[in-house]
């Protein structure tokens, strides 16, 4: 089979879909080649990610990657979330086909972008 059961599960039943109003950090990234876009919203309390939601306009693997990535960082410390790699996301999904690895990269980048947005806003 091309996709793991976990990928299929997170694709057909994605966790944490949506928008957080007044989010503390927002990250939006896209992949120019496939045109897919991913947006991550963070609610931060102290040094913890209290809530996280995503909106992904993209392929099934991108949706599954966003879903898994948000599950992996929910309730975690910011410092832990910063260490999340696309490899960890792909592994948690029991793997992605080689030509779909960039979809998990999008998830890593979107989370990093949302965290830097949060730090930027803190500085102001
Ligand atoms: Fe581009 Fe999946 S094909 S994010």
């Amino acid at each position: 089979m091309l996709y793991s059961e976990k990928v299929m599960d997170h694709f057909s039943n994605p966790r944490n879909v949506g928008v957080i109003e007044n989010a503390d950090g927002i990250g939006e990234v896209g992949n120019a080649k496939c045109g897919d876009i991913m947006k991550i919203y963070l609610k931060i309390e102290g040094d913890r990610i209290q809530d996280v939601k995503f909106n992904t306009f993209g392929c099934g693997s991108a949706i599954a990657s966003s879903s898994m990535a948000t599950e992996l960082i929910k309730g975690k410390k910011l410092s832990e979330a910063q260490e999340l790699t696309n490899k960890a996301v792909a592994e948690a999904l029991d793997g992605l086909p080689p030509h779909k690895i960039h979809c998990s990269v999008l998830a890593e980048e979107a989370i990093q972008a949302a965290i830097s947005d949060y730090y930027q806003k803190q500085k102001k």
Side-chain angles (χ1 to χ4, degrees), residues 42-112:
L42 298 175
K43 190 87 212 154
I44 315 278
E45 201 121 330
D47 65 346
R48 264 182 205 280
I49 297 171
Q50 198 221 335
D51 200 12
V52 47
K53 294 231 183 293
F54 81 89
N55 259 320
T56 291
F57 305 93
C59 73
S61 300
I63 290 167
S65 295
S66 337
S67 171
M68 181 54 88
T70 53
E71 284 288 275
L72 290 172
I73 63 163
K74 204 174 185 174
K76 293 274 164 62
K77 282 187 174 172
L78 277 169
S79 54
E80 293 173 281
Q82 275 177 311
E83 281 165 21
L84 182 77
T85 61
N86 82 287
K87 199 163 170 268
V89 174
E91 267 166 22
L93 287 168
D94 290 337
L96 283 169
H99 67 289
K100 287 286 173 182
I101 291 295
H102 81 270
C103 317
S104 62
V105 173
L106 219 50
E108 176 190 325
E109 287 176 351
I111 287 170
Q112 300 313 324

